[in-house]
Amino acid sequence: MKETIPGTEAGQIPQQRGESLLETAVRYAEERHWDVVPGTWLEAVDGGRRCSCADPACDAPGAHPARPDWATQATGSATVARRMWQRQPTASILLPTGRTFDAISVPETAGFLALARMERMGLTPGPVTSAPDRRMSFFVLPGGAAKVPDLVRKLGWTPGSLDLVVLGEGGFVAAPPTRFLSRGAVQWACRPTPANRWLPDAEELVSALAYACGRDR
């Protein structure tokens, strides 16, 4: 059953249904001005599928960087993105953090609780992904990774006591419709729309997210 998040708009940027990974990656670069980089992909092996990294213990099959220098390969050019995915059309779509946005990652149950709380508080979150590993990533303005630990302390928590992870420079978010092997695909809990083009500061969301993570412990 599809989750419906109150407060999201019907306009979808980008559309997901019927679009290839290539088309979607190009739209991220072209319409949102996000850097994109191809990650690993799923390969057919002995009647099943595995991550292109060939590690049988891979914990994010088909949804992690494919090479050590992945961050230097990321591009905000739609033309370059198109060329990249033409070379490997099934590669996952990774969005580097610490550039046009940081991301606050929380457990899925805490994420949905936080979204409900934000709605009651009249807050508009930026785009939010929901991944098959049951974690949600809230996009915020760059610099959030440096701010959040102190903000959490001011709310009365120690950063290590909450399952709240901030992704900044050197991190990444797997973007819809990237698939995690048989676990399913990354989806938008809050889609990118004209209304959330201007991202919130981490300070605007951290109270709701910390409260939800505290309740989720």
Side-chain angles (χ1 to χ4, degrees):
M1 183 174 70
K2 184 177 178 180
E3 294 281 354
T4 301
I5 308 300
T8 55
E9 294 189 2
Q12 300 173 12
I13 303 175
Q15 297 175 357
Q16 285 179 239
R17 294 185 181 279
E19 286 198 335
S20 67
L21 287 158
L22 182 155
E23 292 169 330
T24 306
V26 168
R27 286 168 67 88
Y28 288 143
E30 193 168 59
E31 299 186 14
R32 296 299 286 203
H33 306 294
W34 289 338
D35 283 2
V36 295
V37 65
T40 52
W41 57 92
L42 299 175
E43 298 177 329
V45 178
D46 298 328
R49 293 196 295 175
R50 72 173 186 189
C51 183
S52 60
C53 73
D55 180 359
C58 179
D59 60 1
H64 64 85
R67 44 192 291 177
D69 63 345
W70 66 271
T72 65
Q73 303 300 309
T75 181
S77 164
T79 301
V80 175
R82 184 175 297 279
R83 285 203 300 265
M84 286 178 166
W85 268 271
Q86 282 174 338
R87 290 195 291 268
Q88 182 49 255
T90 59
S92 56
I93 303 173
L94 306 182
L95 307 176
T97 52
R99 301 186 182 190
T100 51
F101 64 86
D102 283 0
I104 304 177
S105 171
V106 299
E108 184 182 75
T109 50
F112 282 117
L113 177 61
L115 283 173
R117 189 172 177 84
M118 289 174 197
E119 184 184 21
R120 291 195 299 272
M121 295 168 68
L123 295 175
T124 301
V128 182
T129 63
S130 178
D133 60 0
R134 302 188 69 81
R135 294 194 69 84
M136 294 171 68
S137 295
F138 289 70
F139 291 20
V140 295
L141 288 171
K147 295 180 179 180
V148 166
D150 281 343
L151 292 171
V152 168
R153 290 188 189 96
K154 288 177 181 177
L155 292 168
W157 301 92
T158 56
S161 67
L162 300 178
D163 188 1
L164 184 155
V165 180
V166 191
L167 304 171
E169 187 175 358
F172 68 90
V173 173
T178 294
R179 295 194 66 83
F180 281 54
L181 199 54
S182 59
R183 298 184 221 168
V186 183
Q187 300 180 45
W188 289 114
C190 289
R191 297 180 182 275
T193 71
N196 62 23
R197 178 173 291 278
W198 305 108
L199 298 177
D201 190 279
E203 190 168 1
E204 298 175 62
L205 306 187
V206 73
S207 174
L209 289 168
Y211 169 82
C213 287
R215 287 281 303 272
D216 194 50
R217 292 194 306 170

